[in-house]
Amino acid sequence: MKLDSDRLEDYHRDGFLSIAQLVDGRRLRTIQDAAADVFDEADKKAPRKDRVLVPRGTHPAFEDNAAIREAAEVAEQILGGPAVRLFDMIMRRTPHSIETTPWHQDMAYTASPAAPAGIENSLQSLQFCMPLDDSALTSGCIEFLPGRHLEPLLEHRLVAGSSDDPTRVLEIVGCGETVDVSDAVRAPLPAGGVTVHNLGTPHYTGDDAATALQEVINLRRDAAERPFIDDLTGQPVHYLFMKHGKLLSTYYLFDTPIQQACKAVGLVLPGGRGGSGRGTVTAHRFRHTVGTQLAERGAKLHTIMKVLGHSSVNMALVYAQISDREVLRDYQSVLEPGAAIAGPAAADLKSGVLPDEAVDWLKSNFFKTELELGHCLRLPQEGPCECDLYLSCAKFVTTPAYAPRLRARRRLEHNLAVDAADRGWQREVERHRCTAERIERLLTDLGEELDQPADPSAIKLDPDAST
């Protein structure tokens, strides 16, 4: 398979490439059959697993096949030299699954439990992912963040498995919040196609639940019911769950079927009309389970608020207290007595200068105050913030939890100062140097060590340089 210069340029710029066909149908079927055999053998030895590491040790088809040979040719063109095969794995997902693979960078898996944030991406390694079934926009295709492989490694956390488990699951901290994923590019592929990405490229795999819904939509596409007019857009809308021109009630759609299912399997409380009892599972219980699972998997509280429709952080905080110890620790690290905090607002919190109503507001809205490197404790009655230089703002506070980000930002400011000095931009040198110095003071106040690079104040300004 030959890649032209434009395709190679796309890869090096974006950090990933999508190829519609790596192998044809006949060769694909051979690999599909071999994968099924591998999982059949794995299921006989242990409870169902969703992945098998190094399948070439289990089935000869994975020692050498058409996909492996084609991938090697693509790798050699991208790398500009011979490629060595290091690792392989096959995965399976249940159709209509709601499971996702969180945003992560494969480079984070090079250390246990995760490689430290801020390290440079010097790995000349590629990851090939070939779907054995079609992956569409609504059925689990991979998404990538273009260009991020050129930047230092983002901070990751463990969300499933033990720290030394090769099948553990890592997640980028703050995706969708402090890490913008709005520019993500989806890569749907037919079976036998392939995506190629750099180990530093952030990527994510969505769920396959939309496939089941699409089947229902297709059945309802030619329904005779008249459309409703949307209040906001004024456009006609065809609703999915209707009968005789009327919307079906939530009681009919959810409560009644749940109760019927409970009674069918004997999950009932004693008593009730006719002695039949009422089911122990309710729609609200499902809702509570969703909130708990979101918290257990590291979802931020404002994400839980949006999913469950909560109007107050206090309502969603119940789930953090139940399950998400990491989120709860973040909350306590600022608002509990004796917490290690730094920044202009730290003195007011420690000395108790803030009135009780201000502290109560901060507790209720704490998760709305998060910034890249800490928290802004500005109160609503103070009006909108007009200060972009939040590192020196009187309402800024940070904690040791942000130390990796602070160090990474300090290194970035140092590099920008060096670059500005090389270009003769005196005022830019001063700006980046001052920002780095403020970060150094924050790290020192938190009792955190400073790493390389050296103090940016060592960068000399050229008095004759232009501004």
Side-chain angles (χ1 to χ4, degrees), residues 265-310:
V265 297
L267 296 175
V268 294
L269 297 171
R273 182 178 298 178
S276 59
R278 180 162 181 79
T280 59
V281 180
T282 64
H284 181 76
R285 193 165 182 177
F286 274 117
R287 171 187 171 89
H288 188 82
T289 301
V290 169
T292 302
Q293 289 178 341
L294 285 170
E296 286 175 343
R297 298 185 183 191
K300 290 291 186 180
L301 285 200
H302 72 260
T303 301
I304 299 175
M305 287 176 64
K306 289 181 180 179
V307 172
L308 300 184
H310 287 161

Side-chain angles (χ1 to χ4, degrees), residues 54-83:
V54 197
R56 53 182 142 163
T58 305
H59 197 290
F62 292 102
E63 185 64 44
D64 180 55
N65 59 52
I68 294 170
R69 293 191 294 272
E70 292 288 352
E73 290 187 15
V74 171
E76 289 178 359
Q77 293 175 66
I78 292 175
L79 297 175

Side-chain angles (χ1 to χ4, degrees), residues 198-219:
N198 185 281
L199 264 63
T201 304
H203 55 288
Y204 161 89
T205 305
D207 61 47
D208 189 28
T211 305
L213 183 60
Q214 187 62 52
E215 294 174 4
V216 179
I217 293 173
N218 292 337
L219 292 173

Side-chain angles (χ1 to χ4, degrees), residues 42 75 83 138 215 254 356 421:
T138 57
E215 294 174 4
F254 298 104
D356 291 341

